[in-house]
Amino acid sequence: MAEHSESGAKDQPQPGAAANTMWGGRFKAGPDAVMAAINASIGFDRRFYGEDIAGSRAHAAMLAARGIISEADGAAIDAGLAQILAEIESGEFVFSEALEDIHMNIEARLGEIAGEAAGRLHTGRSRNDQVATDCKLWVRKTIDATDAALAALMRALVAQAEAGAGMVMPGFTHLQTAQPVTWGHHMLAYVEMFNRDRGRFADCRARLNECPLGAAALAGTSFPIDRQMTASALGFERPAANSIDAVSDRDFVLEFLAAATICAGHLSRFAEELVIWSSVQFGFVRLSDRFTTGSSIMPQKRNPDAAELVRAKVGRIAGALVALVLVMKGLPLAFAKDMQEDKEPLFDAADSLALALAAMAGMVGDMAPDAGRLRAAAGSGFSTATDLADWLVRVLGMPFREAHRVTGRIVALAEAEGCDLAGLALDKMQAIEPGLTAAVHDVLSVEASAASRVSYGGTAPVRVREQVARWREELA
């Protein structure tokens, strides 16, 4: 707040303003309306109400156990906080922007309920360690929900993989037909990706699980608090070891957003495939009515809007990560009000990811692959050329580079003849490589090609079913 010393209006409050009763002892006038608007966070940090009340109840119990406040005051605070929790969850609680944030809104209401005892709750803590604790509790809860959503999506993918373990489809590189693969193998590729996402979120959870409460503003407190007690009560592994770092750390938010961005990228890649596959031109898969929309003018349309919106969510989530990186990059230790800007991007990214995961799980659960279209496409583009080259190496002992050259000539001939490799007459192939025999046709079908890829991690149906069994056990 500016002090208008030159005008002599230093001590004059702005019209309609009043000093904030929570921190107004130092100030004679209330904040300017613009200051109040830019400073207030209750419009979004009210989402922390459950975490804020849990942290305050743990702190009050610790203060009473240590004799810093009386047991009677501790009981009054706890009962008051329980009442406030019920009021918020029932919709009766009235949030005030004049009280800035969730902490002060709850504290003010506690004063109305518990009287003088409420004023003792803030002993040995600051809003700095309070908000850091709230945020960690919220991110931890959100990680747990995200993990459950990822597991649900993975189960839907495993179900698709099991049903299509032997269903051949084209495998692509550069979006060009490469080699035949199985539908189940393709589905399991995303299972692996989303499992890595679970690992990243788990790593983030493990690192964030240190309790800032008791770090106070930045230097700790002179009161004989028991930080291990509050940490344990809130489910943290330990108290944060450095009070300055405890209040200035937002690495856990950045790490959550980074993991969310990678996960959203995986969702976007799959969504892109669903958009392509569900087109009339591809026809690989049909999405259900539950996850498609129509057109206001073209009655024949089935638009993959859910997939398109999932594809777009990565922009918002990655934007949240970049926004917070830029907020944090130049901040000196310890706490600065800039850090208030962590919450809105965090909340938006978490909401966007949760919605995208739910939509993708729904689409995967409902989608129906067209086995005939997939099989036909699997044989396009001379997809079994590598199988021919491998046969030349395995049966004729030809160096692979030479086999590659010979196969290329045979492919060119088949293209000129207007047929696939399996349909090319043996004598025409022998004109290029006399050592070829009729046995070569055994490897040129798309089913034979897929079934031959039996190396660990390969597309062969037998390997797919092994992986399905493994994932069913892990996701049980």
Side-chain angles (χ1 to χ4, degrees), residues 361-374:
M363 284 187 285
V364 170
D366 284 1
M367 69 181 181
D370 186 324
R373 291 290 290 265
L374 289 166

Side-chain angles (χ1 to χ4, degrees), residues 46 49 83-95:
R46 66 178 64 187
Y49 75 87
Q83 179 179 329
I84 293 168
L85 180 62
E87 290 175 356
I88 294 175
E89 292 183 338
S90 69
E92 298 174 23
F93 192 91
V94 178
F95 292 96

Side-chain angles (χ1 to χ4, degrees), residues 54 108 123 137 146 225 280 291 355 359 387 417-418 423:
T123 307
L137 289 170
T146 302
I225 62 173
V280 173
F291 294 97
L355 190 57
D387 298 275
E417 294 283 331

Side-chain angles (χ1 to χ4, degrees), residues 306-341:
E308 291 170 351
L309 289 166
V310 168
R311 184 175 60 185
K313 291 299 183 186
V314 67
R316 292 177 68 160
I317 296 169
L321 171 61
V322 172
L324 187 56
V325 167
L326 295 178
V327 167
M328 296 300 297
K329 74 173 185 65
L331 296 187
L333 297 178
F335 181 83
K337 199 61 179 269
D338 310 51
M339 292 160 71
Q340 182 169 292
E341 293 295 316

Side-chain angles (χ1 to χ4, degrees), residues 57-144:
R57 294 180 80 171
H59 185 67
M62 180 275 296
L63 292 175
R66 297 289 292 166
I68 298 169
I69 64 173
S70 68
E71 290 187 5
D73 283 346
I77 290 169
D78 189 74
L81 290 169
Q83 179 179 329
I84 293 168
L85 180 62
E87 290 175 356
I88 294 175
E89 292 183 338
S90 69
E92 298 174 23
F93 192 91
V94 178
F95 292 96
S96 169
E97 189 170 297
L99 293 172
E100 293 186 16
D101 56 32
I102 187 62
H103 322 299
M104 287 186 167
N105 269 263
I106 289 173
E107 188 173 330
R109 177 63 179 137
L110 185 62
E112 295 172 352
I113 297 170
E116 186 178 281
R120 297 190 170 92
L121 172 59
H122 211 52
T123 307
R125 74 174 186 184
S126 161
R127 281 189 295 175
N128 295 355
D129 61 336
Q130 192 177 357
V131 72
T133 303
D134 290 0
C135 195
K136 281 195 169 186
L137 289 170
W138 193 90
V139 171
R140 192 177 70 187
K141 176 183 71 176
T142 302
I143 287 173
D144 292 344

Side-chain angles (χ1 to χ4, degrees), residues 357-390:
L357 285 167
M360 186 58 79
M363 284 187 285
V364 170
D366 284 1
M367 69 181 181
D370 186 324
R373 291 290 290 265
L374 289 166
R375 200 267 177 214
S380 67
F382 309 102
S383 64
T384 57
T386 304
D387 298 275
L388 173 55
D390 288 347

